[in-house]
Amino acid sequence: MRFGILGPLEVWEGGERLSLGGPQQRTLLAVLLLNANSVVSADRLIDELWGQGAPPSARGLLKGCVAMLRRALGVGRDERLLTRSPGYLLQVGPGECDLDRVEELAGAATTRSASEADQAAALLREALSYWRGPALDGLEAEVCRAEAARLDELRLALLEERIAVELRMGRFAELVTELQPLVRKHPLRERMWAQLMLALHGCDRRADALAVYQRVRRSLVSELGVEPSAGLRQAHRLVLVGADPAPERKPVRRAVPAQLPSAVRGFTGREAELAELGRLLTASESPGTDIAVVSGTAGVGKTALVLRWSHLVRERFPDGQLYADLGGHGPDEPVRPGATLAAFLGALGLGEREIPRDPAERAARFRTEVAGRRILIVLDNAASAGQIRPLLPGASSCAVLVTSRDSMAGLVALHGARRLGLGRLPRSDAVTLLRVLIGDRADADPRSTAALAELCARLPLALRVVSELAAAHPDGTLAELVDVLGAPQDRLELLEAGDYPHASVRTGLSWSYRRLPPEAARVFRLAGRQAGAELDVRTTAAIAGLSVREARRALDVLARANLVDAVAPGRYVMHGLLRDYAVCQAGDEPYHAAATLGLLPTAAHRPPTGYRPPGLTVVPVSTGENGD
C-alpha cells in the first residue's frame, strides 16, 4: 500500500486508489497514520473525532468506524489495523507513506557535496513533487490542522533549500523568475527575499537587488517594528561589495563500494537470460526501485548468471555495487536483515557509531544513504521476501538483483519485482560447458560428453563437479565415468567436490528439502518413485492419499521451491538428480512418518539409511467409513 497525506488523504494499492468512506473514517485513518506503528488510545481517537460533543455511544461508534476502515483498506484485523490495548495501531511499512519518502530524500540531499549539487537539487525536487496540494486537505480535526501547518512549513523549508542549492549552481535567471511570485505570496520569509537578491545580483542586476532590500526592510520596520534578519543583512553586504553570489562548499569524498565477487570461470550460454535481465531492470516506467528476482532449483547457476550480468554492466552504477550472501539455503540460519544493513552502511562510509542499533532505523538510514545514487544491490541466496524487504532502497536510481530457490511471490506482488525463472542449461550449452572445462577429452568422445551432460541433469553445478572428477582421473575415459555415474545412489555420492558443502549436489538439494513443510516433503519423496512420469493434482492425490485440494497445495509448495518443474499448467516433472535425491529420502519413509506424527522431533535431517526408531513399528492403516 501507499499512503498519501501530502495533499488530500489517499491510499493506493497497486494502481488502484481505495475508497476511504466518510469524514469520520478519513479522520480516523489520518490520526492513525500520523501515529503510524504506535498505539493510539480509544479515548484520544474519540476526542479527535468528536471533541467535546462526543455522544455516549462514542466507543461503539469508534468500533464501527474501525470495522468500516478495515473493509475500506481490504485487510484483516491482524494485518494492518490492529486492536492493541488501550486502542488501535496502524502498521505502515518503511517508505509506504509519502512523508517517509520526502524525509529520506531530504536527508540524502544534505549529504551531497558541492560537486554533487545537481544530485542534491534533483533529490529535493523529487521530494517536493510528493505534495499534491495542502497536506491533509479537507480534514478539520485539530490534530490534522496542526500537522498540515507543520507540513506546509516543511515544504517551504525544502523549497528554500532547493533554491539555495541551485544558487550555488549559478541558475540565477531561472531563480529570479521563480522567486518573484514566491516573495509576494510569502512576504515574511526573509530567506526567500535574500535568495531573490542574490539571484538578481548573479544576473548583473545589482541595483534591482539593492532596491529589493530597501523594500523588504521598510516593510519589516513599518509593519513589525523589526530590522532584517542576519541572513538578509548578509545578502545585502554581498551585493554591496560585489561578492560571488554562489560560493562553493568544500567537496566531501564519498565511499564507493565495489563488493561484487569475481565472475565464474568458463561461463557458457545464457545469452537470452542476460538480455532478459537487462530488460527487466530498465523497462520499468514507475518511479520505484527496479527489482529483478532470479529463481531456480539448486545448482542451476543463479549466482553465476547474476554475477556475470553485474560485472558486464557495473559501469552503469558509478556510485558502487553492494553484495550480500543472505544464507537463505545453507548450513546456518539465514542472515538477519539488520546484520546485512550494518554491513552495507559500513561499506557506504558510515562509522560504527553512526550506524543505528534499531533494525528499522538502519533500514531508513540505508535508504537515505543510497537515495539519488546509482548503486547496484545484489542480494544472493535469499530465503524469503521478508528477508529482502528491509534491504530495498527507496530510490529509483538504484537497482536490486535477488537470487533465491523460492519464487518470491510476495516480493513480486507487494514491491513490483520482476521474476526470471532460470531453467537448466539447453543440451548444447551443457555439452559446450563440459568441453570448456574438460578440454580435448570431451572433444574426442562427444557421445560420452553428451551422456555426462544428461546424467548431471544439465545443471551447471553438477557439470562443474563432474569435470573435476574427470580431471582427478586423467588416465580414465569419459565412458568409464558415465558407467560409474549410472546408479542413482552412486551419482549423488560422487557429485561432491571434497568437503565443501556448497559444491555438493546432495547437500545443496538437502537445504531446499529440509525447508519443506511435512506434507510437501512427503509428496516430494513419493514423487521420486514415479520414474520420470509427469505429476498432476489427481495423480499426486492418489499416490499420497491426499484430497485434491491438499495435493494441489503440496505441488504449489514444491513448484515455488523449484523442486519440481512445471511443463504445462497443472503438470510437473522432476529432473534426474532431484528424483535420485527423492528416492534416497523415500528409503526412510517410516522415520519420516514417525516425525510427521510428532513421535520424533523433526523430519528435516535425514537419518542413516535403514534407521528405525527403537520400539516403534509403523504399519499401514485403512481409513474406515466414518473417517476414524
Side-chain angles (χ1 to χ4, degrees), residues 273-284 309 316 418:
E273 289 85 351
L274 289 168
E276 179 68 3
L277 268 185
R279 189 188 69 79
L280 294 180
L281 289 174
T282 57
S284 175
W309 185 87
R316 298 187 198 173
R418 293 170 168 80

Side-chain angles (χ1 to χ4, degrees), residues 186-533:
H186 305 283
L188 300 181
R189 296 195 74 88
E190 295 180 65
R191 190 182 186 191
M192 284 186 178
W193 286 104
Q195 290 172 332
L196 176 57
M197 291 171 58
L198 293 175
L200 287 167
H201 175 37
C203 293
D204 294 325
R205 296 171 59 182
R206 291 180 64 197
D208 289 337
L210 294 172
V212 164
Y213 179 76
Q214 294 301 326
R215 185 166 69 251
V216 70
R217 182 180 180 276
R218 283 195 302 269
S219 176
L220 290 170
V221 171
S222 63
E223 295 182 19
L224 301 178
V226 298
E227 288 289 336
S229 65
L232 196 52
R233 295 197 304 271
Q234 175 66 14
H236 182 225
R237 285 193 292 271
L238 289 174
V239 176
L240 282 174
V241 301
D244 183 1
E248 291 289 328
R249 291 183 295 174
K250 183 179 179 180
V252 178
R253 187 178 183 275
R254 308 184 73 200
V256 179
Q259 295 188 332
L260 291 177
S262 61
V264 177
R265 181 183 69 86
F267 185 90
T268 301
R270 303 296 198 194
E271 288 85 1
E273 289 85 351
L274 289 168
E276 179 68 3
L277 268 185
R279 189 188 69 79
L280 294 180
L281 289 174
T282 57
S284 175
E285 297 179 357
S286 66
T289 303
D290 288 323
I291 307 168
V293 176
V294 178
S295 65
T297 192
V300 80
K302 301 179 291 294
T303 300
L305 174 72
V306 163
L307 290 180
R308 173 75 168 182
W309 185 87
S310 299
H311 280 284
L312 289 173
V313 302
R314 62 189 306 167
E315 291 79 10
R316 298 187 198 173
F317 302 95
D319 295 315
Q321 307 88 40
L322 294 168
Y323 172 88
D325 182 350
L326 301 182
H329 296 82
D332 302 316
E333 289 294 315
V335 179
R336 293 183 180 274
T340 304
L341 287 166
F344 281 174
L345 289 171
L348 291 168
L350 271 67
E352 185 176 349
R353 293 184 178 180
E354 296 178 282
I355 298 174
R357 291 183 178 274
D358 181 69
E361 292 179 6
R362 285 183 183 178
R365 183 63 185 269
F366 174 65
R367 292 193 297 272
T368 297
E369 290 298 318
V370 301
R373 302 177 69 179
R374 289 289 298 162
I375 293 179
L376 176 64
I377 303 165
V378 179
L379 304 174
D380 195 13
N381 191 18
S384 65
Q387 191 187 22
I388 294 293
R389 195 171 294 117
L391 308 178
L392 296 177
S396 57
S397 57
C398 296
V400 179
L401 263 175
V402 180
T403 73
S404 179
R405 299 184 192 181
D406 187 86
S407 63
M408 291 285 161
L411 208 60
V412 173
L414 296 179
H415 296 276
R418 293 170 168 80
R419 186 190 299 117
L420 171 61
L422 191 62
R424 296 176 289 147
L425 285 172
R427 183 175 290 103
S428 59
D429 286 345
V431 169
T432 299
L433 179 57
L434 285 176
R435 292 172 62 192
V436 169
L437 296 174
I438 296 175
D440 295 340
R441 294 162 67 193
D443 291 329
D445 189 355
R447 184 186 296 274
S448 295
T449 302
L452 283 176
E454 291 304 323
L455 286 170
C456 292
R458 307 196 305 279
L459 290 175
L461 172 61
L463 294 169
R464 290 180 179 276
V465 174
V466 86
S467 71
E468 291 303 312
L469 286 174
H473 300 86
D475 297 329
T477 67
L478 296 187
E480 291 172 339
L481 185 56
V482 169
D483 291 338
V484 170
L485 291 173
Q489 183 65 33
D490 292 342
R491 184 154 56 242
L492 289 175
E493 292 291 343
L494 288 168
L495 290 178
E496 297 186 5
D499 58 356
Y500 183 51
H502 292 275
S504 165
V505 174
R506 180 200 293 275
T507 303
L509 293 175
S510 74
W511 291 334
S512 293
Y513 171 71
R514 70 179 59 176
R515 291 175 59 88
L516 293 174
E519 190 173 87
R522 180 168 176 269
V523 169
F524 175 77
R525 295 191 298 270
L526 294 173
R529 301 174 179 175
Q530 300 308 299

Side-chain angles (χ1 to χ4, degrees), residues 51-169:
Q52 297 298 321
S57 59
R59 287 191 177 275
L61 293 173
L62 175 61
K63 290 181 180 179
C65 283
V66 169
M68 288 188 288
L69 184 56
R70 282 179 175 141
R71 283 197 294 271
L73 296 177
V75 299
R77 63 185 298 125
D78 296 325
E79 295 178 13
R80 285 278 184 180
L81 184 45
L82 311 181
T83 301
R84 292 279 175 84
S85 181
Y88 302 93
L89 178 147
L90 180 68
Q91 292 191 128
V92 178
E96 288 187 329
C97 184
D98 53 5
L99 180 59
D100 294 340
R101 290 289 299 123
V102 166
E103 291 174 343
E104 289 172 18
L105 292 165
T110 63
T111 67
R112 297 303 186 262
S113 66
S115 61
E116 299 169 318
D118 55 340
Q119 295 179 23
L123 288 166
L124 291 167
R125 282 188 178 276
E126 185 178 351
L128 288 163
S129 71
Y130 279 89
W131 267 269
R132 297 168 283 108
L136 297 170
D137 195 17
L139 298 180
E140 298 300 323
E142 179 61 31
V143 66
C144 295
R145 290 200 299 269
E147 184 67 8
R150 184 186 76 84
L151 294 175
D152 186 54
E153 175 61 29
L154 174 63
R155 184 183 67 83
L156 291 174
L158 292 176
L159 178 59
E160 289 172 342
E161 185 59 30
R162 195 219 83 218
I163 291 170
V165 172
E166 295 189 350
L167 275 173
R168 291 193 290 270
M169 297 169 65

Side-chain angles (χ1 to χ4, degrees), residues 9-21:
L9 181 63
E10 291 183 348
V11 180
W12 291 77
E13 186 170 22
E16 179 184 359
R17 184 170 64 182
L18 304 183
S19 175
L20 300 177

